Amino acid sequence: EPRDQDSMDLVRSILLDYWGVESRDDLIAVLHHLIVNGHTRDYMDALSVIARSGSASDLHAEDMDEEDIAISDARFAFTRTYAGKYGPEMLRGWDLGRAANVTRWGYFVGFLSEDEAWGVLDQIADGCLEFFESWTSFAQSYIFGSMYWKCPYGPEACYENAAGLMISIEHLLTEGEWKDTPWVSGRA
């Protein structure tokens, strides 16, 4: 990809505006969070509260503002809806997929060297191989995680987002990179 100033500025603004990343240290902290915890951890925490018959307010922290509380409550309701159907592994694709994008952007703006970026991507790939058996199962998890993320903004926003992802995934599976890159069941 070309690294002209406009592209660099755009990627830096994405990293800052959506991820709070201004430096290499910020990037590494975000990558660690996505690979180790991410929304998967939030879903697990909500499942734990549900299991002990708790309420959404059990997940509120003192530093949360009204918007944070509304988002937390909506995600708790989402978790309650799917608690008996899907476990936290259904969000791993979302977290790991986002980690791959953040890695790419971090390399693009110079926060990671090429070797470092490949090292992180290898770690992400290992996580994907641990949790998923195909591009399709990864995609299902990615969509479910995106629905969890988007649910606070209402059903229409959630479904529009999922529909857009399904179109992109169908392309990847039928004519894109995933069609041409078979899923591997293990690492050499």
Side-chain angles (χ1 to χ4, degrees):
E1 292 175 284
R3 287 190 180 183
D4 59 69
Q5 192 59 49
D6 288 342
S7 298
M8 295 283 280
D9 291 344
L10 175 63
V11 173
R12 282 186 187 276
S13 72
I14 290 169
L15 285 170
L16 179 60
D17 296 344
Y18 294 98
W19 298 98
V21 171
E22 295 183 271
S23 67
R24 173 185 169 81
D25 289 342
D26 293 341
L27 179 79
I28 290 168
V30 166
L31 289 172
H32 180 266
H33 171 72
L34 288 170
I35 293 168
V36 175
N37 294 315
H39 281 127
T40 302
R41 169 56 59 195
D42 299 337
Y43 191 83
M44 288 172 62
D45 291 346
L47 286 173
S48 176
V49 169
I50 291 165
R52 64 177 193 269
S53 300
S55 68
S57 63
D58 293 339
L59 296 169
H60 297 171
E62 287 184 27
D63 64 343
M64 294 173 93
D65 61 23
E66 287 182 31
E67 182 181 4
D68 293 336
I69 289 170
I71 289 170
S72 177
D73 290 354
R75 291 186 177 145
F76 183 82
F78 180 96
T79 305
R80 185 181 299 278
T81 299
Y82 292 103
K85 298 174 185 92
Y86 302 110
E89 66 281 353
M90 277 302 287
L91 282 89
R92 292 302 296 152
W94 173 246
D95 290 333
L96 294 173
R98 293 182 309 144
N101 275 333
V102 172
T103 300
R104 177 176 168 247
W105 295 327
Y107 166 69
F108 188 84
V109 300
F111 291 154
L112 296 175
S113 70
E114 184 175 354
D115 286 344
E116 290 170 323
W118 280 116
V120 173
L121 291 171
D122 280 343
Q123 183 181 358
I124 293 166
D126 288 343
C128 287
L129 292 174
E130 178 183 343
F131 287 99
F132 308 109
E133 57 193 37
S134 67
W135 285 116
T136 301
S137 64
F138 170 80
Q140 290 167 338
S141 174
Y142 191 88
I143 291 169
F144 186 78
S146 77
M147 290 173 62
Y148 176 84
W149 166 71
K150 200 69 168 178
C151 74
Y153 307 100
E156 187 173 308
C158 184
Y159 296 130
E160 283 179 12
N161 181 62
L165 286 174
M166 285 188 262
I167 291 167
S168 297
I169 288 166
E170 179 183 18
H171 172 78
L172 286 166
L173 289 168
T174 59
E175 6 178 329
E177 291 295 318
W178 292 359
K179 176 183 179 267
D180 298 331
T181 308
W183 191 266
V184 292
S185 58
R187 289 257 169 156

